[in-house]
Amino acid sequence: DALILAACVSWALSDVMFRKYALEIGDFWTAFNWYFIGSALVSVFMLPFHKRGEGFLSHFRGLSTRGYVLLFGDHIIGTLGSVVFPIALYLGKVSLTTVLQVVQPLAAFCFGLILPKFIREIDRENTSRSTLILKGISFLLILGGLIALSLQ
């Protein structure tokens, strides 16, 4: 829980800082490229911490064609979201843009219900009554926050 809180605080600070330096630079595309250079540095930094002695690329040797399709499909979809998010930050309010991002768990839940019917590697979402109640309450809290932010 402490790690996810630290991640959320870090991302929030990063989003606010991006909005500030993007406006200072004055050219969105330059700021946009700096945003992604920072993201790429995370991957480079994490490579030495790989737990096994195997090379980074060795994990891809045993993938089936379906595995490659899922992997690259995931990257294409993730890249699209990564491209659109800084544009939204640049054009909109930081607080509203980042809060709208919390709709992601609802979308993930919905996709978790639909996609396992077509992609067997994706686990089906838990739909027990207690889980649905908890997720419903969480969604209502998020919705309340969105409404409060939009009234400002």
Side-chain angles (χ1 to χ4, degrees):
D1 292 339
L3 288 176
I4 200 69
L5 181 60
C8 290
V9 169
S10 298
W11 283 322
L13 181 59
S14 173
D15 292 342
V16 171
M17 290 173 67
F18 170 78
R19 174 75 168 157
K20 177 67 175 161
Y21 78 74
L23 293 175
E24 289 288 324
I25 289 173
D27 172 26
F28 170 75
W29 294 108
T30 302
F32 181 77
N33 286 314
W34 276 111
Y35 182 87
F36 280 103
I37 287 170
S39 298
L41 289 176
V42 172
S43 296
V44 172
F45 174 74
M46 294 304 290
L47 278 175
F49 295 103
H50 196 267
K51 289 184 180 178
R52 297 185 190 126
E54 304 165 3
F56 174 70
L57 296 176
S58 67
H59 295 285
F60 299 104
R61 289 188 192 127
L63 280 180
S64 65
T65 302
R66 182 175 175 86
Y68 280 112
V69 168
L70 291 172
L71 176 70
F72 289 110
D74 169 61
H75 287 303
I76 289 168
I77 293 167
T79 300
L80 179 61
S82 294
V83 167
V84 172
F85 187 72
I87 294 170
L89 275 176
Y90 185 78
L91 297 175
K93 294 179 181 178
V94 174
S95 59
L96 187 58
T97 303
T98 55
V99 168
L100 284 173
Q101 193 177 4
V102 299
V103 175
Q104 180 183 353
L106 176 63
F109 178 70
C110 292
F111 285 129
L113 293 174
I114 297 166
L115 290 179
K117 295 177 183 178
F118 307 102
I119 304 172
R120 66 181 174 272
E121 292 85 359
I122 297 176
D123 293 333
R124 184 160 174 76
E125 280 291 323
N126 181 354
T127 55
S128 69
R129 184 169 190 213
S130 61
T131 300
L132 291 176
I133 290 171
L134 180 62
K135 290 182 182 199
I137 291 169
S138 300
F139 179 70
L140 290 175
L141 288 170
I142 291 168
L143 189 60
L146 287 172
I147 291 169
L149 278 173
S150 67
L151 295 176
Q152 291 181 347

